[in-house]
Amino acid sequence: MAEGTDRLAVEPRPGTQAVERALAILDCFRRGPQSLGITEIARAVGLNVSTAHRLVRALCHGGFMEQEAESERYRLGFAIAVLGQRALEQSGYHLAQPILARLATTTGESASLGIRRGDEVLVLERAASVQPLRFDHPTGAEIHLHASAMGKVLLAFAPGSPKETVAALHPMERYTRHTITSRAALVQELTTIREQGFATNREERYEGVCGIAAPVTAELGVAHAAVGIQGPSLRLTPAQLRLLAPLVREAADEIGALVLRG
């Protein structure tokens, strides 16, 4: 499609079109650079420059975006951070921070808490390891479900059978030679995860990084979140992962009791 056409205006819906376009603009910053020029924004969302500029100025007025004085490029505003913090507090998962910190101290590895969003895990909270050699998932990081311990545990303890859950996933990208990309193999692994109560990641997303995760469940056993630890494979050997599994499961159960069943 040629630049300058309004791709989002193919099926205009009165009253919602401007909102959808504004959300698409904000979504440009999910994984992209920290700042974008107005032409880059317009191209990314399929709008002409004048329409994109009008929406960006409205977002700036509301504090959701701001313009850099020197470069005149645009970036996210502090109102986004305020809303994100409010959403986190309302979810109750901010209460998990002391438990994650204790888990990181006890295991010596970085700890994370994530929820499912589409085909990805969104990291909400974390506690860093004190080890010089460590691996952290930053807050706000998004990781594909099939290539992480937290993701696999969210899939394993989702409503429905593992076969139904896997069938609904988009094509699974290969990151390393260990990444599971076969649907049949993933179904088999999710079945095992359900039986043992935890999931492992053995260099499936990053070479040299392993992890283990357990579900944060409500009364019916459905995972609302996942708790995991991750670190270098030199320390997190298969034997060490098995030893740490009870600690991760205990932390996940404690968070579930505090946030979901408290």
Side-chain angles (χ1 to χ4, degrees):
M1 183 174 293
E3 181 182 354
T5 58
D6 284 3
R7 173 165 47 84
L8 297 179
V10 175
E11 297 180 2
R13 283 168 281 183
T16 65
Q17 188 181 77
V19 174
E20 291 173 349
R21 289 172 167 179
L23 291 173
I25 289 172
L26 293 174
D27 202 54
C28 290
F29 296 88
R30 186 187 300 275
R31 297 186 187 85
Q34 292 185 351
S35 64
L36 293 167
I38 192 63
T39 301
E40 294 172 305
I41 293 172
R43 184 183 300 115
V45 298
L47 297 172
N48 61 49
V49 173
S50 61
T51 300
H53 187 261
R54 184 171 65 253
L55 290 168
V56 166
R57 294 311 303 165
L59 289 167
C60 287
H61 183 72
F64 299 103
M65 291 180 67
E66 59 186 29
Q67 188 175 30
E68 297 174 346
E70 295 184 2
S71 67
E72 297 187 347
R73 292 167 66 85
Y74 294 92
R75 63 190 179 196
L76 294 177
F78 284 106
I80 294 288
V82 172
L83 289 178
Q85 184 61 36
R86 288 293 303 275
L88 186 60
E89 291 172 356
Q90 290 169 8
S91 74
Y93 284 121
H94 66 293
L95 300 174
Q97 187 58 43
I99 301 171
L100 293 178
R102 187 172 72 244
L103 181 63
T105 299
T106 305
T107 63
E109 305 297 346
S110 297
S112 308
L113 181 143
I115 61 171
R116 180 176 181 177
R117 185 169 63 185
D119 280 358
E120 296 175 316
V121 181
L122 173 65
V123 178
L124 296 183
E125 294 284 353
R126 69 185 183 96
S129 167
V130 297
Q131 301 271 12
L133 179 62
R134 64 176 188 257
F135 183 85
D136 296 323
H137 287 313
T139 303
E142 295 170 315
I143 313 151
H144 282 152
L145 292 167
H146 71 284
S148 73
M150 287 195 296
K152 289 190 293 182
V153 93
L154 287 168
L155 290 172
F157 289 89
S161 69
K163 187 174 182 179
E164 294 169 333
T165 300
V166 172
L169 294 176
H170 289 100
M172 298 179 290
E173 182 178 350
R174 179 174 295 281
Y175 295 102
T176 74
R177 58 193 175 93
H178 303 287
T179 307
I180 298 174
T181 57
S182 161
R183 292 184 187 272
L186 185 57
V187 169
Q188 183 176 0
E189 175 137 351
L190 297 187
T191 302
T192 300
I193 291 167
R194 271 193 174 189
E195 294 172 354
Q196 66 188 16
F198 64 90
T200 59
N201 166 19
R202 297 177 181 174
E203 301 184 283
E204 294 163 40
R205 181 61 179 88
Y206 301 103
E207 294 283 357
V209 177
C210 292
I212 184 169
V216 177
T217 60
E219 293 179 356
L220 297 179
V222 174
H224 289 248
V227 171
I229 59 171
Q230 55 282 326
S233 55
L234 291 172
R235 289 198 302 267
L236 291 181
T237 62
Q240 183 67 2
L241 289 173
R242 287 193 296 272
L243 287 174
L244 295 177
L247 296 176
V248 178
R249 292 184 63 178
E250 181 181 348
D253 288 343
E254 188 175 351
I255 291 171
L258 178 65
V259 178
L260 302 178
R261 305 187 293 274

